[in-house]
Amino acid sequence: CSVTEKLHNGSPPNIIIMLMDDMGWGDLGVFGHPAKETPNLDAMAAQGMLLTNFYTANPLCSPSRAALLTGRLPVRNGFYTTNGHARNAYTPQEIVGGISKDEILLPAMLKKNGYVSKIVGKWHLGHRPAYLPLENGFDEWFGAPNCHFGPYNSSITPNIPVYNNSEMLGRYYEEFPINVKTGESNLTQIFLKEGLEFIHRQTKAQQPFFLYWAPDATHTPLYASRSFLGKSQRGRYGDAVMELDYSVGQILSSLQSLGIEKNTFVFFTSDNGAALTSRTNGGSNGPFLCGKETTFEGGMREPAIAWWPGNIKEGTVSQQLANVMDLFSTCLSLAGISAPDDRVLDGLDLTPVLLNLSHSLENRPIFYYRGNEMMAVRVGQFKAHYWTWTNSMEEFKQGVNFCAGQDVPGVTTHNQTEYTLQPIIFHLGRDPGEKFPLSVLTKEYLDALRSVSAVVEYHEKTLVPGVPQLNMCDQAVMNWAPAGCEKLGKCLDAPKSKPWKCSWPH
Amino acid sequence: CSVTEKLHNGSPPNIIIMLMDDMGWGDLGVFGHPAKETPNLDAMAAQGMLLTNFYTANPLCSPSRAALLTGRLPVRNGFYTTNGHARNAYTPQEIVGGISKDEILLPAMLKKNGYVSKIVGKWHLGHRPAYLPLENGFDEWFGAPNCHFGPYNSSITPNIPVYNNSEMLGRYYEEFPINVKTGESNLTQIFLKEGLEFIHRQTKAQQPFFLYWAPDATHTPLYASRSFLGKSQRGRYGDAVMELDYSVGQILSSLQSLGIEKNTFVFFTSDNGAALTSRTNGGSNGPFLCGKETTFEGGMREPAIAWWPGNIKEGTVSQQLANVMDLFSTCLSLAGISAPDDRVLDGLDLTPVLLNLSHSLENRPIFYYRGNEMMAVRVGQFKAHYWTWTNSMEEFKQGVNFCAGQDVPGVTTHNQTEYTLQPIIFHLGRDPGEKFPLSVLTKEYLDALRSVSAVVEYHEKTLVPGVPQLNMCDQAVMNWAPAGCEKLGKCLDAPKSKPWKCSWPH
Ligand SMILES: [Ca+2]
Ligand SMILES: [Ca+2]
């Protein structure tokens, strides 16, 4: 009998995905941060499984989140741009597009087996009405459609709205204050309360739930509640981490006090690597190269912990190559729902690994995309870079540095450098920091190239790119008058539509 | 009553110091190595205390080891050179000097309370007869006086002898083979057996013991036993780490099976940071800057675990600033022996921290020396660099790179750059990787400078440098005819004495 059948002697488990924003692999004590200020996450790992080779699908918020919820690479689900080569695109509030109606999101799938789904926090898959969470399978939402940048002058740019379900409740920097100077905001506490309240309500109702808990305190502008401000050795970034760690602890202990911990699968990860360009206001990618925006390990390898007492063996470590798209397939498997068969899925069902039924799944590749370009591929311990770049020399000279303090000649390049005929190959076991390319004259290089090439050829031959959704921008589509603004007297006048091709500088 | 009195209601504990060679902070799973191939060390940390701010006294073998065994900075105990400014010196076999007769070593002190002491592995405090372990307080020795470099052509250079107590048993690459090509050598197994045999014998004799276990498999040329070769994801370096990790596990479990674990204090650390210039044959310094030979965090912050079931609380983490010289003072305290009062000691007694009697000791400074120069000082979270350099541009251009892949302008310099008038200051909490110097225009900089300056002034005013022992070299003093060579027919003819001032290139 299959894993899924074995699991479903009982009711399907509740599912909680905790997705951090710009938190790096090296920010957790259990992944080696010297400050060791994440006791709750470290305990979560000790009670569950640590995944050391877990990846995002793109080193930027929106495409990463789109991949998680669709189980598909951004180049398939449309969360990319063709305005330039190898450019990271996302959903600022001037974006016209959003998640395509052709995509099926995880909460819509889970509904087939009676799940009630809530997203708490950052959505980032399009802020125009048709793209919002409740139009895409979620039953509830508390949070915002875009990043919490601001405050803006509302005659030029509206502040980002905070929604409760399908109507706005207020705006950041207005009803939901963030003091950019002091870093004070109680948003993480609000997101925690919203998550806990949903868990309690669903438990009482005896309905299986999916909670997608996506707080954004570690994305600049950084914030923390008053009781966490100044508490970390690491400054404001560390304060935000400590409050998130505390919140994770609160959620896990509430599962235990409700007695549902053995029926709730919890997965903790982050959407992309730490933003090194934020300097001491950014996180740590531990021993890995560069960070957010790049396809080096620091941009795409993510902290990952799976927790499910009684099901996932405590204190285990898995070396399985895995990624955020696997969460889609895995959650469907846990819920006893067949995956959609009318589209290509990039995720694998990780339940055999999580439940320790097998040591590892097939030798699956990891693809590192930047926009429309496959920059690199990992097969086993080998990672082949076909294209390298960090950002333009122009931008770099202005102080934007995705690899602060790091410099690997020919690798951390400031122009788009093509290596498609002879990729740069690293052995990530011996060289997780991507500093010492294999010599192209070695047998090891040739053997690695042969196995990677086969994977790449198949991928490129079979890939059908989706229609790019992140090409057009327009001031008129910004959050001038979100649903519910009338009741609050918070509608703003939109300027005339004047669409342009968005510019994605890196 | 004092900690020491409290402890000595019973018999004084056995003491084991496990000192690795060139192993980096980031090589342990518990300190974040992605390969997670140190299950025994990770378990040791889970059963004991992890120290995240533990330092060596110098980023090179010999001075580090001299500091550990004397409790004094190398600039005091003579393990430095004045042949050049800010140069790292050690004890190759052409060195004339060694540990000064004026120094009192830990085993000589421990003898006062009946301890029997053994060193297993690398000594590195001088190989001429008067400098050997049994002349300096140890009762037993199995190992070698110098690094295991080789093999040499014996008409030009003798291979390094391996001693059993005061007589040689053979030489590396001869009776004690290391296959430089395959990396095979069973030396770690021999060192393990020697350690275990001593523990068993002392336990039977009911005599307190001090075991200084100093294997060198992670120093190039790397080696491992056949059963570990090829087992790591990390190549030969990882194989060596796995065998050392296995050996640590064997030692701890033998303490448990002998029933003496509650009466044996065990401390694990390394002598200096990972050698980044060895590229994929070197270890990892995790998130820290540069490595061996440098006074950046990667050169001097060390993995450290204290283990003493029933005494040290399990699963604890201490942020106490501590260093290898503290082991001298701490071991004396554990043994109930007063520290010598006729000399300056640089170590602190860590027992209040280890036994959780107080959260931290006084705000003690950490000094970062390179030869005769105090390069940097840490006070609290602030580290001030007064001098920076990695190595000369000449050497760097020949491929010797102590900071491979890393480049922090003005910090990772290739000439000796003086900042004594306006030190570069980092906040190691926010910036453990030493990438973002504080602006000299900030109040934070000025406050930090004030507190560091007071410490530095006092240190410089009161420091009385010892007579430098590492200035002279001579081919005639090499290991041509170690004690015991006659019996084995392994004596070689020494050339005529022709001393010269040793050249220390970095
Ligand atoms: Ca993000
Ligand atoms: Ca060493």
Side-chain angles (χ1 to χ4, degrees):
Chain A
C1 78
S2 77
V3 176
T4 310
E5 281 162 6
K6 250 180 93 181
L7 280 169
H8 297 291
N9 298 338
S11 57
N14 306 308
I15 295 168
I16 300 177
I17 295 177
M18 299 167 162
L19 187 73
M20 302 301 109
D21 199 348
D22 293 8
M23 190 183 280
W25 197 91
D27 280 325
L28 278 62
V30 72
F31 282 116
H33 197 282
K36 293 259 175 204
E37 291 177 336
T38 57
N40 292 291
L41 286 162
D42 298 354
M44 182 182 180
Q47 294 158 15
M49 177 182 280
L50 198 65
L51 292 99
T52 57
N53 289 293
F54 190 86
Y55 289 88
T56 183
N58 187 278
L60 203 61
C61 306
S62 295
S64 167
R65 288 157 196 256
L68 187 162
L69 289 173
T70 62
R72 288 150 56 79
L73 281 168
V75 72
R76 291 192 216 276
N77 68 32
F79 254 63
Y80 72 108
T81 184
T82 52
N83 288 359
H85 177 249
R87 305 283 168 151
N88 298 319
Y90 71 109
T91 56
Q93 60 173 332
E94 60 267 30
I95 198 84
V96 172
I99 190 73
S100 164
K101 278 290 152 206
D102 295 337
E103 296 298 315
I104 307 179
L105 272 59
L106 180 58
M109 291 298 299
L110 291 173
K111 208 169 291 227
K112 298 188 184 184
N113 206 359
Y115 279 75
V116 176
S117 298
K118 176 164 194 157
I119 163 172
V120 173
K122 177 161 149 182
W123 169 240
H124 231 204
L125 301 191
H127 61 287
R128 296 177 68 203
Y131 301 128
L132 292 179
L134 269 58
E135 304 299 315
N136 285 280
F138 281 100
D139 301 291
E140 302 184 20
W141 180 27
F142 185 94
N146 312 87
C147 286
H148 58 280
F149 293 127
Y152 297 113
N153 175 336
S154 67
S155 65
I156 300 166
T157 304
N159 277 320
I160 303 300
V162 174
Y163 280 79
N164 186 28
N165 299 324
S166 53
E167 294 196 349
M168 77 180 279
L169 270 187
R171 296 186 190 264
Y172 283 143
Y173 304 95
E174 298 173 20
E175 291 74 13
F176 295 90
I178 302 170
N179 186 323
V180 177
K181 205 169 163 194
T182 64
E184 184 177 345
S185 174
N186 61 354
L187 280 163
T188 299
Q189 293 300 321
I190 295 175
F191 294 149
L192 171 59
K193 192 182 132 278
E194 286 289 328
L196 291 175
E197 188 276 333
F198 176 69
I199 292 166
H200 278 80
R201 185 155 37 85
Q202 288 307 118
T203 305
K204 215 166 167 186
Q206 295 188 301
Q207 264 179 311
F209 66 82
F210 168 45
L211 171 62
Y212 175 44
W213 194 68
D216 56 4
T218 43
H219 188 296
T220 52
L222 305 171
Y223 64 79
S225 302
R226 189 173 301 179
S227 57
F228 288 91
L229 278 179
K231 289 296 188 300
S232 164
Q233 296 170 43
R234 302 180 62 191
R236 200 170 290 176
Y237 185 87
D239 297 342
V241 170
M242 287 176 89
E243 186 164 17
L244 292 167
D245 176 76
Y246 164 84
S247 301
V248 168
Q250 291 294 300
I251 291 173
L252 298 186
S253 69
S254 87
L255 299 177
Q256 282 163 323
S257 62
L258 288 167
I260 59 169
E261 77 279 10
K262 293 190 175 165
N263 199 34
T264 306
F265 170 74
V266 185
F267 199 92
F268 174 94
T269 188
S270 180
D271 68 342
N272 50 251
L276 299 194
T277 198
S278 298
R279 303 166 62 97
T280 54
N281 281 323
S284 167
N285 296 317
F288 299 124
L289 187 66
C290 300
K292 180 177 177 177
E293 302 272 9
T294 78
T295 45
F296 302 110
E297 292 301 286
M300 294 194 52
R301 203 178 309 197
E302 303 304 328
I305 305 170
W307 185 92
W308 190 10
N311 295 280
I312 293 172
K313 203 173 161 223
E314 60 178 20
T316 47
V317 174
S318 173
Q319 300 283 342
Q320 173 67 43
L321 296 203
N323 65 39
V324 77
M325 296 168 288
D326 298 344
L327 295 179
F328 182 92
S329 303
T330 303
C331 290
L332 292 188
S333 171
L334 294 175
I337 298 165
S338 304
D341 57 7
D342 62 344
R343 62 197 64 212
V344 176
L345 292 177
D346 292 287
L348 292 181
D349 174 6
L350 296 177
T351 51
V353 172
L354 296 171
L355 304 177
N356 205 21
L357 303 173
S358 83
H359 282 304
S360 79
L361 297 174
E362 59 187 295
N363 197 4
R364 70 92 63 90
I366 298 291
F367 296 102
Y368 302 71
Y369 268 86
R370 209 158 147 170
N372 58 350
E373 185 60 78
M374 191 203 74
M375 307 288 286
V377 181
R378 177 176 177 180
V379 175
Q381 292 289 7
F382 296 103
K383 179 174 176 183
H385 289 270
Y386 291 85
W387 284 88
T388 62
W389 83 306
T390 56
N391 60 350
S392 69
M393 188 49 81
E394 235 179 319
E395 207 181 50
F396 176 70
K397 282 184 178 161
Q398 284 160 28
V400 179
N401 187 351
F402 299 149
C403 308
Q406 300 177 320
D407 180 33
V408 183
V411 176
T412 53
T413 56
H414 288 290
N415 45 42
Q416 296 189 357
T417 310
E418 186 168 4
Y419 292 99
T420 54
L421 293 177
Q422 193 174 61
I424 297 173
I425 303 183
F426 294 104
H427 185 286
L428 293 181
R430 295 196 303 269
D431 182 20
E434 297 173 281
K435 291 183 166 59
F436 310 108
L438 299 187
S439 161
V440 297
L441 301 172
T442 56
K443 181 171 181 305
E444 185 178 33
Y445 179 92
L446 295 172
D447 289 348
L449 182 59
R450 198 170 308 121
S451 78
V452 174
S453 295
V455 169
V456 170
E457 265 171 48
Y458 179 80
H459 179 70
E460 291 187 336
K461 207 165 69 186
T462 56
L463 181 81
V464 181
V467 177
Q469 304 295 320
L470 306 180
N471 282 351
M472 295 308 298
C473 287
D474 188 344
Q475 297 270 134
V477 305
M478 299 203 296
N479 294 291
W480 303 105
C485 70
E486 305 85 355
K487 287 185 212 165
L488 301 167
K490 295 200 66 95
C491 303
L492 298 167
D493 288 334
K496 260 200 181 157
S497 174
K498 227 168 94 182
W500 74 90
K501 276 177 102 171
C502 318
S503 150
W504 303 113
H506 34 251
Chain B
C1 77
S2 78
V3 176
T4 310
E5 280 161 8
K6 248 181 93 184
L7 280 169
H8 297 291
N9 298 338
S11 58
N14 305 307
I15 294 167
I16 301 178
I17 295 177
M18 299 168 161
L19 186 73
M20 302 298 110
D21 199 349
D22 292 6
M23 191 182 280
W25 197 91
D27 280 324
L28 278 63
V30 72
F31 282 115
H33 197 283
K36 292 260 175 202
E37 291 177 335
T38 56
N40 292 291
L41 286 162
D42 297 354
M44 182 181 180
Q47 295 158 15
M49 176 183 281
L50 198 65
L51 292 99
T52 57
N53 288 294
F54 190 87
Y55 289 87
T56 183
N58 187 280
L60 202 62
C61 306
S62 295
S64 168
R65 288 156 197 256
L68 188 161
L69 289 173
T70 62
R72 285 150 57 79
L73 281 168
V75 73
R76 290 193 217 274
N77 68 32
F79 255 63
Y80 73 107
T81 184
T82 52
N83 288 359
H85 176 250
R87 306 284 169 148
N88 297 318
Y90 71 109
T91 57
Q93 60 172 331
E94 59 269 29
I95 198 84
V96 172
I99 189 73
S100 163
K101 277 291 151 208
D102 295 337
E103 296 298 316
I104 307 178
L105 271 58
L106 180 56
M109 291 297 299
L110 291 173
K111 208 170 291 232
K112 298 187 185 183
N113 206 359
Y115 280 74
V116 177
S117 297
K118 177 164 192 156
I119 162 172
V120 173
K122 176 161 147 181
W123 169 241
H124 232 204
L125 301 191
H127 61 287
R128 295 176 69 202
Y131 300 128
L132 293 179
L134 269 59
E135 304 299 314
N136 285 281
F138 281 101
D139 301 291
E140 302 184 20
W141 180 28
F142 185 94
N146 312 86
C147 286
H148 57 280
F149 294 127
Y152 297 113
N153 175 337
S154 67
S155 66
I156 300 166
T157 304
N159 277 321
I160 303 300
V162 175
Y163 281 78
N164 186 27
N165 299 324
S166 52
E167 293 197 350
M168 77 180 278
L169 270 187
R171 294 185 190 267
Y172 283 144
Y173 305 96
E174 298 173 20
E175 292 75 12
F176 295 91
I178 301 169
N179 187 322
V180 178
K181 204 168 162 195
T182 63
E184 184 178 345
S185 175
N186 60 355
L187 280 163
T188 299
Q189 294 300 321
I190 295 174
F191 292 148
L192 172 58
K193 192 182 133 280
E194 286 289 328
L196 291 176
E197 189 275 332
F198 176 69
I199 293 168
H200 279 80
R201 185 154 38 84
Q202 288 307 119
T203 306
K204 215 167 168 186
Q206 296 189 299
Q207 266 179 309
F209 66 80
F210 167 44
L211 171 62
Y212 175 45
W213 193 69
D216 56 3
T218 42
H219 188 295
T220 53
L222 304 172
Y223 63 79
S225 303
R226 189 174 300 180
S227 57
F228 288 90
L229 278 179
K231 289 295 189 299
S232 164
Q233 297 170 42
R234 302 180 61 191
R236 200 170 290 176
Y237 184 87
D239 298 342
V241 171
M242 287 176 88
E243 187 164 17
L244 291 167
D245 176 75
Y246 164 84
S247 301
V248 168
Q250 291 293 300
I251 291 172
L252 298 186
S253 69
S254 87
L255 298 178
Q256 281 163 322
S257 61
L258 287 167
I260 58 168
E261 78 279 10
K262 292 190 177 165
N263 198 35
T264 306
F265 170 74
V266 186
F267 199 92
F268 174 93
T269 188
S270 180
D271 68 342
N272 50 250
L276 299 194
T277 198
S278 299
R279 302 164 63 97
T280 55
N281 281 322
S284 166
N285 297 317
F288 298 123
L289 186 65
C290 300
K292 180 177 176 177
E293 302 272 9
T294 78
T295 45
F296 303 110
E297 292 300 287
M300 293 195 54
R301 201 176 314 194
E302 303 303 328
I305 306 170
W307 186 93
W308 191 10
N311 297 279
I312 294 173
K313 201 169 163 229
E314 60 179 20
T316 46
V317 174
S318 173
Q319 300 282 344
Q320 172 68 44
L321 297 202
N323 65 39
V324 76
M325 296 168 288
D326 298 344
L327 295 179
F328 182 93
S329 303
T330 304
C331 290
L332 292 188
S333 170
L334 294 174
I337 297 165
S338 304
D341 57 6
D342 62 343
R343 64 197 64 212
V344 174
L345 291 177
D346 292 287
L348 291 182
D349 173 7
L350 296 177
T351 50
V353 173
L354 296 171
L355 304 177
N356 205 22
L357 302 174
S358 83
H359 281 304
S360 79
L361 297 173
E362 58 187 297
N363 197 4
R364 70 92 62 90
I366 298 290
F367 296 101
Y368 303 71
Y369 267 86
R370 208 157 148 171
N372 58 349
E373 186 59 79
M374 190 203 74
M375 307 287 287
V377 181
R378 176 175 178 181
V379 175
Q381 293 288 7
F382 295 103
K383 179 175 176 183
H385 290 270
Y386 291 85
W387 284 89
T388 62
W389 84 304
T390 57
N391 60 352
S392 68
M393 189 48 83
E394 237 180 316
E395 207 182 52
F396 176 70
K397 282 185 176 159
Q398 284 162 25
V400 179
N401 187 351
F402 298 148
C403 309
Q406 300 176 319
D407 180 33
V408 182
V411 176
T412 53
T413 56
H414 288 290
N415 45 42
Q416 296 189 357
T417 310
E418 188 168 4
Y419 291 99
T420 52
L421 292 178
Q422 194 173 63
I424 298 173
I425 303 184
F426 294 104
H427 185 286
L428 294 181
R430 296 196 303 269
D431 181 20
E434 295 171 284
K435 292 184 166 58
F436 310 108
L438 300 188
S439 161
V440 297
L441 302 173
T442 56
K443 181 171 180 303
E444 185 177 31
Y445 179 91
L446 294 173
D447 290 347
L449 182 60
R450 198 169 309 120
S451 78
V452 175
S453 296
V455 169
V456 169
E457 265 171 48
Y458 179 79
H459 179 70
E460 292 188 335
K461 206 165 70 183
T462 56
L463 181 81
V464 181
V467 177
Q469 304 294 321
L470 306 180
N471 281 352
M472 295 308 298
C473 286
D474 188 344
Q475 296 270 137
V477 305
M478 298 202 298
N479 293 291
W480 303 104
C485 69
E486 306 84 355
K487 287 184 211 163
L488 301 166
K490 296 200 67 93
C491 302
L492 298 167
D493 288 334
K496 262 202 181 150
S497 173
K498 228 168 91 184
W500 74 90
K501 275 176 102 170
C502 319
S503 150
W504 303 113
H506 33 251

